[in-house]
């Protein structure tokens, strides 16, 4: 079990790691938290932020992971700017907390279906707040805890080579879909433009629009029309 503290370090709840047998995790999830209360609101707490906030400010970067063990292992190995969203997408309140210390976030979530959804939801919220969001891709299906324990250099490389959220989605989407097929091309453009619509800065929008244009060979005016429909 671990205690959960608010940004000032006051204990507000507890969380426990479920027994690692697969049937238990399938039934309950990896962690069980104290129930919601007036003292503890899961959407307003980031595990480890009370201990990581100065390191985040110094590095001008918050690395956000899913689980508490990821944070504990990271801090034990000297990576002090790591915090956890506790298995959920970043919320508006959590993003507001992070913005006190940095405008740069790197998401190091498990890249399973749930992790992909958490990245998309949380990242879109952050982009709307003008935060730069990157995605840390760890090889061999490892989570941060496993990666740091087995190969610190791989973890450091993954963080160093993290991709801007738009680049991550552009690479992933155009690899998945065959854009020589008009229907698949339409689906691919829908995905990347949907993410692009969350970016507030027109300069950034224009930068990524040009990249999408170059990859998809779709006239910019048509891309702009599609983007307007989404927005």
């Amino acid at each position: 079990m671990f205690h959960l503290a608010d940004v000032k370090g006051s204990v507000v709840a507890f969380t426990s790691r479920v027994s690692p047998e697969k049937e238990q995790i399938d039934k309950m999830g990896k962690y069980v938290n104290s129930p919601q209360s007036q003292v503890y609101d899961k959407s307003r707490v980031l595990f480890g932020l009370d201990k990581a906030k100065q390191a985040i400010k110094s590095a001008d970067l918050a690395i956000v992971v899913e689980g508490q063990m990821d944070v504990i292992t990271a801090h034990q190995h000297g990576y002090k700017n790591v915090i956890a969203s506790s298995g959920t997408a970043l919320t508006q309140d959590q993003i507001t907390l992070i913005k006190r210390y940095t405008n740069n976030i790197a998401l190091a979530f498990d890249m399973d279906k749930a992790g992909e959804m958490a990245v998309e939801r949380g990242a879109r919220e952050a982009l709307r707040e003008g935060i730069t969001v990157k995605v840390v891709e760890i090889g061999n299906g490892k989570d941060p805890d496993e990666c740091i324990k087995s190969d610190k250099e791989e973890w450091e490389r993954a963080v160093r080579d993290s991709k801007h959220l738009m680049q991550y989605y552009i690479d992933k989407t155009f690899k998945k879909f065959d854009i020589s097929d008009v229907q698949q091309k339409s689906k691919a453009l829908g995905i990347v433009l949907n993410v692009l619509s969350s970016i507030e800065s027109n300069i950034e929008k224009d930068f990524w629009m040009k990249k999408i244009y170059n990859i998809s060979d779709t006239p910019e005016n048509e891309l702009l029309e599609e983007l307007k429909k989404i927005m």
Side-chain angles (χ1 to χ4, degrees), residues 109 111 136-144 146-148 150-151 154-155 157-159:
F109 289 178
M111 284 299 116
V136 179
E137 297 180 277
I138 304 170
N140 302 318
K142 295 178 182 176
D143 59 23
E146 294 171 314
C147 183
I148 293 169
S150 64
D151 191 345
E154 159 128 12
W155 167 253
R157 179 207 56 75
V159 172

Side-chain angles (χ1 to χ4, degrees), residues 128-196:
R128 291 190 185 98
E129 292 296 315
I131 289 177
T132 297
V133 181
K134 292 187 174 182
V135 178
V136 179
E137 297 180 277
I138 304 170
N140 302 318
K142 295 178 182 176
D143 59 23
D145 175 35
E146 294 171 314
C147 183
I148 293 169
K149 285 177 177 175
S150 64
D151 191 345
K152 287 176 65 175
E153 288 184 5
E154 159 128 12
W155 167 253
E156 290 172 5
R157 179 207 56 75
V159 172
R160 186 172 59 250
D161 296 345
S162 57
K163 296 179 180 178
H164 188 284
L165 182 75
M166 274 307 309
Q167 190 65 59
Y168 169 76
Y169 270 99
I170 288 170
D171 292 346
K172 176 186 167 189
T173 304
F174 286 109
K175 183 178 179 180
K176 179 179 178 181
F177 292 96
D178 177 10
I179 60 173
S180 65
D181 178 275
V182 66
Q183 290 185 325
Q184 290 197 50
K185 181 177 181 178
S186 179
K187 287 180 182 178
L189 288 174
I191 291 170
V192 295
L193 291 175
N194 199 34
V195 178
L196 183 62

